[in-house]
Amino acid sequence: MPDGVSAEDYRLARPVWTDISLGAITENLEEVRKLVGRPVKVIATIKADAYGLGAVAIGRHLEGLGVNGLATANFDDAVALRENGVKIPIVLFASNLPSGVKTLLRYDLTPSLYDLQTAKILSTVATRTVNVHVKVDDGLGRLGVKLVDARRFIQSVRQFPNINVEGVYTHIAFSNDAGEAWSRRRLAAFVELIGKLEQEDGLKLDFAQASASSTIICGFPDTLNTIAPGHLLFGLCPVQKQLVRTWPFKHAFKSLKARLIHTVQHNPGDDLAISGQYALRNAMRTGVILLGLDNGFRMPVTSGAYALCGGKRCSIVSVTAEYTVIDLAAAPEADVGDEVTIVGRDGAEAISLDQVGEYLGVGATIASLDLRRIPVHYTDNDFSR
Ligand SMILES: Cc1ncc(COP(=O)(O)O)c(C=O)c1O
């Protein structure tokens, strides 16, 4: 909000907002701990701007809840966390070139290591012992030193001065049956690696982790001392519903709403060029809200997508850079200033984030919306700093 503008005036000038429940995140963290069922350290994963919810606000909240660290792959988000006073370790899953590590140190970020070139540069530029986490690729095929090479790699890294391997981690993610069976074997292989590192190579690890949301929600056996959940903290399910036996999690993303800034009565024969409806056959009344492509919103890929206005379903007519136009046929009384719901409840009707994900044709809806360009109301803040 600009300086000197009251909250009320700001809402009138910028009538679009989301409600994000910090209380839901508090409860979800508790539920994760219950599911794991043993004491573990938690590195809370807040990739993709905390899955779209706002890295700084969410990171600060999680720090207040006592997590042991935060992790992201985004250098900018990590810097913003530090600049906003976050003190706990921030692991950068990856975001830099080897020669970029010196800048990570400036912000006291914990680098991930998976190549010796980075280790060499780090060892040279560090003026004190730097904690690092070695990233192991356990079959995801994305990033990290391959599991079969990990022991040798870690032995080499430990030869460098100024580097302390305090963590070793991998990421095991799946969404369906086949992935689950495969992931169980991969987790077992990683746990075996950690056992060898600790028992045979004498490495004492403060953070050894492989479990994130999919392995936790499916109850994989895990003996490692740390977990790194993301999705579950925000009430998001990363796996197909049939793989889940219990779902105690709550959506942190409660609603995405806006107010009508304009309505138009179109007559038969009028053109709606923007939505490609030329010479309308019937009269049509439309309304405009301030939500557009710049917020990661887009034209639905399926038919029948709607927003709610006055508790009624209003189909989406067009989405452009900063505006969405809806058809007000079902809400003839709707006027400038009335509330429009994209996600959330309005009277007897509600639209879930999953429904929006379906009509936008994307899986991870939150991350695909860019809430950095939408005012966010953080609610249920049950933790006071
Ligand atoms: C290395 C690593 N650990 C943990 C996570 C968190 O995964 P999830 O959000 O499924 O819990 C991610 C997310 O991509 C990741 O890359």
Side-chain angles (χ1 to χ4, degrees):
M1 188 161 62
D3 285 348
V5 176
S6 73
E8 184 50 25
D9 285 346
Y10 181 64
R11 273 175 189 242
L12 295 172
R14 184 86 182 95
V16 56
W17 69 96
T18 63
D19 291 296
I20 308 260
S21 166
L22 295 175
I25 295 173
T26 308
E27 288 178 38
N28 291 341
L29 177 61
E30 272 313 300
E31 294 298 341
V32 165
R33 288 192 191 280
K34 276 193 222 158
L35 269 181
V36 172
R38 62 194 173 91
V40 281
K41 292 177 194 166
V42 176
I43 294 183
T45 301
I46 54 167
K47 278 173 103 168
D49 195 33
Y51 295 63
L53 302 179
V56 169
I58 303 299
R60 283 166 56 112
H61 184 69
L62 287 162
E63 179 178 44
L65 295 177
V67 300
N68 303 83
L70 301 169
T72 175
N74 188 307
F75 173 71
D76 295 336
D77 284 352
V79 170
L81 287 161
R82 282 283 180 257
E83 287 180 340
N84 282 279
V86 168
K87 299 278 186 297
I88 55 176
I90 301 174
V91 179
L92 264 200
F93 279 156
S95 77
N96 54 286
L97 289 170
S99 49
V101 287
K102 66 174 187 310
T103 313
L104 304 197
L105 301 187
R106 206 175 131 199
Y107 292 96
D108 193 21
L109 306 178
T110 305
S112 291
L113 272 195
Y114 40 85
D115 67 82
L116 288 178
Q117 195 194 351
T118 304
K120 194 172 168 195
I121 296 175
L122 189 60
S123 174
T124 316
V125 297
T127 52
R128 55 174 172 80
T129 301
V130 175
N131 291 326
V132 300
H133 288 205
V134 168
K135 182 168 198 142
V136 176
D137 178 1
D138 191 13
L140 201 60
R142 192 170 63 179
L143 202 59
V145 57
K146 283 194 173 166
L147 188 108
V148 287
D149 302 324
R151 266 179 94 181
R152 205 163 6 103
F153 175 78
I154 290 167
Q155 277 157 12
S156 307
V157 169
R158 292 174 78 194
Q159 308 305 313
F160 286 102
N162 290 336
I163 296 184
N164 173 42
V165 179
E166 73 160 1
V168 176
Y169 72 97
T170 192
H171 184 44
I172 295 170
F174 59 90
S175 61
N176 56 21
D177 282 354
E180 180 180 8
W182 180 83
S183 298
R184 281 186 191 272
R185 296 196 294 277
R186 297 324 305 159
L187 178 61
F190 185 75
V191 170
E192 191 184 328
L193 167 73
I194 297 295
K196 286 186 177 150
L197 288 170
E198 294 198 317
Q199 282 140 35
E200 296 175 25
D201 301 344
L203 183 63
K204 165 89 193 67
L205 288 169
D206 288 335
F207 300 98
Q209 58 94 356
S211 272
S213 298
S214 42
T215 54
I216 294 170
I217 194 66
C218 291
F220 279 26
D222 175 21
T223 51
L224 303 179
N225 64 14
T226 306
I227 57 172
H231 279 79
L232 294 182
L233 297 178
F234 311 116
L236 301 171
C237 185
V239 297
Q240 286 174 347
K241 298 237 160 61
Q242 63 266 27
L243 297 181
V244 177
R245 258 180 253 128
T246 143
W247 184 256
F249 299 99
K250 292 183 177 162
H251 263 305
F253 185 107
K254 294 292 178 207
S255 60
L256 170 56
K257 299 196 177 207
R259 290 192 186 280
L260 288 173
I261 57 161
H262 186 58
T263 63
V264 189
Q265 179 63 52
H266 304 281
N267 299 314
D270 281 359
D271 293 337
L272 248 68
I274 205 135
S275 60
Q277 300 179 46
Y278 300 103
L280 283 177
R281 248 197 256 152
N282 301 310
M284 184 181 193
R285 192 160 167 265
T286 55
V288 182
I289 57 169
L290 286 168
L291 181 75
L293 301 171
D294 69 329
N295 308 120
F297 200 56
R298 63 192 78 146
M299 195 55 197
V301 293
T302 59
S303 60
Y306 58 86
L308 300 172
C309 185
K312 298 287 185 301
R313 299 180 178 191
C314 298
S315 40
I316 295 169
V317 175
S318 68
V319 180
T320 50
E322 293 192 324
Y323 308 124
T324 291
V325 177
I326 60 171
D327 180 348
L328 294 175
E333 307 298 320
D335 208 349
V336 169
D338 286 359
E339 199 170 282
V340 175
T341 299
I342 301 293
V343 177
R345 176 160 292 284
D346 182 358
E349 290 273 4
I351 303 176
S352 71
L353 200 58
D354 289 345
Q355 278 173 272
V356 176
E358 269 163 40
Y359 75 61
L360 291 183
V362 292
T365 323
I366 289 193
S368 78
L369 292 172
D370 187 356
L371 303 188
R372 278 171 283 211
R373 307 266 293 155
I374 300 176
V376 181
H377 297 158
Y378 292 100
T379 61
D380 317 322
N381 190 354
D382 52 0
F383 178 81
S384 43
R385 291 168 63 90

